[in-house]
Amino acid sequence: MKFTLQANDTHSKARAGTVTTDHGEIQTPIFMPVGTAGTVKAVHQRELKDDIDAKIILGNTYHLYLRPGLDIIEQGGGLHKFIGWDRPILTDSGGYQVYSLSKVRKIKEEGVTFRSHIDGSKHLFTPEYAMDIQRTIGADIIMAFDECTPYPCDYKYAANSINMTHRWLKRCCTRFDTTEPKYGFNQTLFPIVQGSVYKDLRVKSAEFIAGMGREGNAIGGLSVGEPAEEMYAMTEVVCDILPYDKPRYLMGVGTPINILENIALGVDMFDCVMPTRNARNGMLFTRNGIINIGNKKWENDFSPIDAESDLHADQVYSKAYLRHLMHSKEMLGAQIATLHNLHFYLWLVRTAREKIISGEFYAWKNKMVTILGNKL
């Protein structure tokens, strides 16, 4: 993997770059749609490419490991071939499930034991096995196995957690560096900075991760319930330490406003379930603010879903029709809303990139963050 910087914003730490992988180029800043179980919910891969122009998507190691399972994925030639996607893929390591499955998992030095949410069967993820699983899945970018601490989290717990995450990272690197990819293309390992909302722990973790010398780095453990101001403060601390010439990925973030503010702090890559999950509940993100399509005010609004958008679905379907579909629980409603939100998120980061290159990012960002949270 190669990362090339093309432009820097003069009034913030925002930057525009290109990540080059064996499955294609990713222009940054970038938002990565989440395809948890080998699918971005309600969207065809053709739509992801042609309508949304997603340059990279995510897969979830925990979910893919449980179903369809590694044997099926490997027999299918890896995740790219199995799902019919020829652009880059990033997989998380299962570390977030350590956080989210707190009632059915046990953390120890060896790794994490957990019970499947599907059938209750018991499993063990070690740092080494997390590398092996992701090698088999076949993602272009794979994530180190870490512990995502909850919020709030006391200082002692967070300190012990990052020390274990760092020990696990060494084991991940050893396993990754002594194994080969299975499907004839290169894979890249990103470590993850942790440390909750404690500045000294974030500094310690960022310095350790930077010292590992990997091709890219991630920031985890944010957007887990902490106030946005604390997220921004921790992101700024970490971005000032992580290598300037390598991509920085802020995991699980976030709202359109979160994304713009974190781009301004020096983040290059984002992912979040928000545009897809909220779409299925009738929340549409637009460049003028937020639409709750279920509200009665849209019942007889026959204007296009988004007249400013160049997405086919936004132009040919009306707000009234989309509201009808959502109220009727028709699957097409979720499909249209999901297409809209993902298209908007990709428009947002693509426009941010254009503004960084033209030198207009900071003023544009400040204008947009006052608008994007408006309830329409």
Side-chain angles (χ1 to χ4, degrees):
M1 192 199 81
K2 190 171 81 170
F3 181 60
T4 308
L5 274 170
Q6 273 115 10
N8 292 277
D9 180 51
T10 52
H11 300 291
S12 72
K13 296 167 187 173
R15 67 253 197 96
T18 301
V19 176
T20 304
T21 76
D22 287 354
H23 279 106
E25 288 189 348
I26 306 156
Q27 293 189 324
T28 63
I30 192 64
F31 178 82
M32 304 179 282
V34 177
T36 302
T39 168
V40 177
K41 285 183 173 63
V43 181
H44 287 287
Q45 274 72 302
R46 180 190 58 75
E47 293 170 323
L48 279 173
K49 285 183 69 171
D50 297 346
D51 297 340
I52 295 163
D53 197 21
K55 300 299 186 183
I56 176 172
I57 61 173
L58 262 70
N60 183 289
T61 291
Y62 165 85
H63 287 282
L64 291 167
Y65 162 81
L66 290 176
R67 192 165 54 193
L70 300 182
D71 286 348
I72 297 297
I73 292 173
E74 190 162 16
Q75 288 175 44
L79 190 60
H80 288 88
K81 287 187 176 178
F82 182 60
I83 70 172
W85 177 255
D86 61 3
R87 292 183 179 182
I89 296 175
L90 181 150
T91 44
D92 66 6
S93 66
Y96 184 76
Q97 272 63 46
V98 173
Y99 158 77
S100 62
L101 298 171
S102 57
K103 293 179 181 176
V104 291
R105 56 92 167 127
K106 185 177 290 186
I107 305 170
K108 49 189 177 182
E109 190 68 31
E110 181 188 9
V112 179
T113 54
F114 62 90
R115 292 198 176 275
S116 164
H117 71 285
I118 299 168
D119 60 10
S121 57
K122 194 173 180 181
H123 303 268
L124 169 65
F125 273 13
T126 64
E128 293 82 5
Y129 193 35
M131 298 299 95
D132 295 346
I133 294 169
Q134 291 180 86
R135 285 289 203 195
T136 299
I137 291 171
D140 299 86
I141 299 171
I142 75 176
M143 303 307 297
F145 192 61
D146 67 330
E147 182 190 3
C148 178
T149 50
Y151 179 87
C153 168
D154 69 56
Y155 182 89
K156 184 178 179 182
Y157 185 97
N160 289 333
S161 177
I162 66 159
N163 289 333
M164 185 172 66
T165 286
H166 295 167
R167 293 191 298 272
W168 283 358
L169 174 59
K170 289 181 179 178
R171 291 165 58 189
C172 287
C173 290
T174 298
R175 185 59 148 238
F176 182 84
D177 293 341
T178 54
T179 55
E180 296 291 332
K182 294 190 174 187
Y183 307 109
F185 58 85
N186 290 300
Q187 294 177 297
T188 298
L189 171 64
F190 279 24
I192 303 171
V193 177
Q194 290 288 352
S196 189
V197 292
Y198 301 105
K199 181 179 178 180
D200 63 321
L201 296 183
R202 285 285 173 180
V203 169
K204 178 181 177 181
S205 188
E207 289 175 344
F208 183 89
I209 266 63
M212 296 303 288
R214 309 311 298 198
E215 294 162 296
N217 299 292
I219 305 166
L222 296 174
S223 194
V224 291
E226 79 284 354
E229 291 70 26
E230 294 203 47
M231 178 209 303
Y232 302 146
M234 294 302 102
T235 300
E236 184 170 25
V237 165
V238 171
C239 283
D240 286 348
I241 295 169
L242 291 179
Y244 174 77
D245 59 348
K246 296 177 180 179
R248 304 167 185 147
Y249 162 34
L250 181 57
M251 305 178 75
V253 175
T255 67
I257 292 171
N258 291 159
I259 287 173
L260 291 183
E261 293 291 9
N262 282 296
I263 287 173
L265 297 172
V267 174
D268 307 296
M269 302 168 69
F270 301 87
D271 81 284
C272 190
V273 297
M274 183 171 282
T276 48
R277 179 179 290 167
N278 288 26
R280 298 193 299 275
N281 293 316
M283 178 185 283
L284 307 182
F285 297 99
T286 79
R287 63 196 78 188
N288 298 308
I290 298 167
I291 291 174
N292 182 343
I293 202 66
N295 287 350
K296 190 171 179 61
K297 68 183 290 185
W298 310 115
E299 185 177 28
N300 60 352
D301 186 331
F302 302 103
S303 65
I305 292 168
D306 188 345
E308 296 179 79
S309 167
D310 61 2
L311 178 70
H312 176 76
D314 281 341
Q315 296 172 345
V316 301
Y317 300 123
S318 69
K319 297 182 184 74
Y321 179 55
L322 180 55
R323 181 182 185 275
H324 156 69
L325 293 174
M326 300 300 280
H327 269 251
S328 303
K329 295 184 168 49
E330 286 287 345
M331 286 186 287
L332 182 59
Q335 290 177 279
I336 293 170
T338 302
L339 279 169
H340 166 84
N341 277 355
L342 288 176
H343 182 271
F344 170 76
Y345 266 63
L346 269 295
W347 170 85
L348 187 70
V349 293
R350 189 167 58 247
T351 304
R353 177 185 169 83
E354 292 168 359
K355 298 295 184 182
I356 292 166
I357 292 170
S358 68
E360 305 167 282
F361 171 77
Y362 192 66
W364 173 79
K365 185 270 293 183
N366 287 341
K367 182 186 81 170
M368 291 300 293
V369 298
T370 65
I371 296 170
L372 291 173
N374 291 341
K375 302 286 199 301
L376 300 178

